[in-house]
Amino acid sequence: MNLPAEHPLNTGATGASLLVLNMRGHRTSPLPVWFMRQAGRSLPEYRKLREGIAMLDSCLTPELVVEITLQPVRRHGVDAAIFFSDIVIPLKLAGLDVDIKPGVGPVLENPVRTKEAADALRLIDGDAFAPITTAVGMLVKELASTPLIGFGGAPFTLASYLIEGGPSKELPHSREMMRNQPELWAQILNWCADITAQFISAQVVAGASALQVFDSWAGRLSPDEYETFAKPYSERLFSQLALLVDKDGVPVPRVHFGVGTESLLESMHEVGATVMGIDSNTDLERASALFTNKVPLQGNISTELLTANWETLAEHIDEVIASGLNAPGHVVNLGHGVPPETDPDVLTRITEYIHRTTT
Ligand code: CP3
């Protein structure tokens, strides 16, 4: 789908930003930086704003979404905003009784484990995206030349909540279903792919200049399991996202990220990603070599070093930048989301440091 004429990638507002340039394979000096999970969590101004408001309600209130999304951009001066929302919002917009419990995560009253329940799943009505598209529209006006990143969850990670009914390490119901009821598994994961495609497309058409798919739990699958039980559905998602192109036919950058995914990186790229997010377990030089140094990378400052003394952290950042040099573009980020207890001043200092570093 062609983006509208007023989209920031079409007006020229964000096309020359450090983020979009690197994501499209044009390395810059200095490099761009943003932090996964930069909105919310570690910021005192976020916690204050959220007092007494349920997580999912806040995600569907445009004024709050705009303010929370902008907080880290103002505070740290990062090179991108990430839309404040959650991977389970499409489940909510599709009418499921999902909630996010503080300190627990997404919980579903009625997990989907039967053919009857799966047959009742419907695509999201276009009007339901109004709070999302309104917030994105307001944000891109405020952000001007700073790109907004839209996001969603990969089918496997989203389905793990839908089928288990909440966060689960072992994924017993999912594993049982993928082995014993492969058709039901396929039906549910296809639906997850389609509603997330709707969710991410809505953010991009409304003004996001890049998109990221989080397959946070993919690392729990072996490479064979990933090929059979996750990859076809991620391909289905990415093939819909690949249709999002600017007026020159250039696609919106598509980032794919997971944790513990070193053995899956090539497969995760093959599904249709144009940028690969790398966690801290994989050296960027090694990751880049897997893609014959042709794929822009995002990552991978260790979240464990955020509490180290500054000299140690700065040395580590230098190593991250050096190890990414073979990639055609590099978006500096953490290896995973900002831990909630992070001192926000450390993130500001990292941003300033990266902006001062030339290569
Ligand atoms: O930068 C941002 O934080 C932007 C918004 C964002 C949220 N969730 C808001 C949120 C993003 C990008 C996500 C992604 C997300 N959500 C993922 C993939 C990334 C990852 O961390 O692996 C997953 C698996 C989820 C599902 C989810 N939502 C979990 C597991 C939890 C609980 C644990 C946690 O992170 O606190 C949530 C809740 C959630 N989503 C919060 C926020 C700000 C915390 C709720 C609160 O503040 O009350």
Side-chain angles (χ1 to χ4, degrees):
M1 188 195 309
N2 286 328
L3 301 177
E6 65 278 13
H7 190 282
L9 285 175
N10 280 337
T11 61
T14 55
S17 63
L18 298 184
L19 185 95
V20 173
L21 284 173
N22 279 275
M23 284 189 171
R24 286 183 167 165
H26 308 291
R27 170 176 286 278
T28 61
S29 176
L31 296 171
V33 56
W34 70 281
F35 304 104
M36 289 186 280
R37 313 298 307 273
Q38 68 189 14
R41 294 187 123 192
S42 69
L43 295 186
E45 58 268 37
Y46 163 76
R47 286 192 223 110
K48 187 142 179 277
L49 205 60
R50 274 279 324 282
E51 264 168 32
I53 306 172
M55 172 64 192
L56 292 181
D57 291 341
S58 68
C59 293
L60 296 173
T61 309
E63 292 72 19
L64 281 176
V65 172
V66 170
E67 177 55 25
I68 296 169
T69 303
L70 292 174
Q71 281 174 347
V73 181
R74 281 193 212 114
R75 188 192 252 267
H76 308 306
V78 280
D79 295 284
I82 180 145
F83 189 61
F84 180 77
S85 196
D86 197 83
I87 64 164
V88 299
I89 283 287
L91 301 181
K92 170 107 175 159
L93 296 181
L96 274 69
D97 56 1
V98 61
D99 192 12
I100 292 188
K101 296 234 156 77
V104 180
V107 177
L108 276 96
E109 198 66 34
N110 299 299
V112 174
R113 293 180 193 155
T114 62
K115 175 86 176 123
E116 286 85 3
D119 283 344
L121 299 171
R122 295 282 174 271
L123 287 182
I124 302 167
D125 182 67
D127 296 342
F129 288 109
I132 308 288
T133 55
T134 301
V136 172
M138 289 160 69
L139 270 167
V140 294
K141 275 203 194 92
E142 295 270 338
L143 284 163
S145 61
T146 301
L148 177 70
I149 301 171
F151 77 94
F156 174 72
T157 289
L158 185 60
S160 73
Y161 290 105
L162 184 63
I163 296 169
E164 302 300 332
S168 161
K169 277 219 155 51
E170 307 293 335
L171 306 173
H173 300 285
S174 310
R175 288 190 178 279
E176 200 272 333
M177 192 187 296
M178 58 173 91
R179 300 285 173 195
N180 300 330
Q181 296 169 279
E183 284 170 15
L184 182 57
W185 177 258
Q187 184 179 345
I188 294 173
L189 271 85
N190 279 333
W191 180 76
C192 288
D194 293 346
I195 59 164
T196 296
Q198 288 186 291
F199 176 54
I200 298 179
S201 300
Q203 297 169 59
V204 171
V205 171
S209 293
L211 64 90
Q212 176 156 334
V213 173
F214 286 90
D215 207 350
S216 304
W217 308 143
R220 296 185 183 167
L221 297 173
S222 70
D224 281 352
E225 288 173 328
Y226 183 83
E227 290 296 315
T228 311
F229 300 118
K231 193 178 183 188
Y233 315 103
S234 291
E235 273 169 350
R236 182 178 173 120
L237 168 60
F238 273 90
S239 66
Q240 295 176 63
L241 302 176
L243 303 175
L244 300 160
V245 296
D246 71 14
K247 64 178 182 336
D248 301 318
V250 182
V252 173
R254 304 185 295 275
V255 189
H256 202 183
F257 170 78
V259 182
T261 49
E262 175 151 345
S263 61
L264 307 177
L265 287 175
E266 286 143 298
S267 292
M268 287 179 67
H269 175 245
E270 279 163 18
V271 304
T274 65
V275 180
M276 287 302 296
I278 308 297
D279 79 1
S280 300
N281 297 316
T282 308
D283 180 71
L284 291 184
E285 193 174 334
R286 203 160 69 232
S288 187
L290 288 175
F291 309 118
T292 60
N293 300 320
K294 290 197 173 67
V295 177
L297 300 181
Q298 179 173 278
N300 65 351
I301 297 170
S302 169
T303 51
E304 284 169 29
L305 289 178
L306 294 175
T307 48
N309 64 49
W310 175 250
E311 286 64 35
T312 307
L313 181 54
E315 211 171 286
H316 171 62
I317 296 169
D318 290 343
E319 281 164 16
V320 166
I321 292 175
S323 75
L325 282 173
N326 290 342
H330 181 190
V331 176
V332 182
N333 206 310
L334 304 178
H336 193 186
V338 177
E341 64 281 3
T342 304
D343 173 359
D345 290 345
V346 173
L347 301 180
T348 308
R349 195 163 180 190
I350 294 174
T351 308
E352 289 167 357
Y353 185 74
I354 287 158
H355 286 161
R356 276 202 313 274
T357 303
T358 51
T359 50

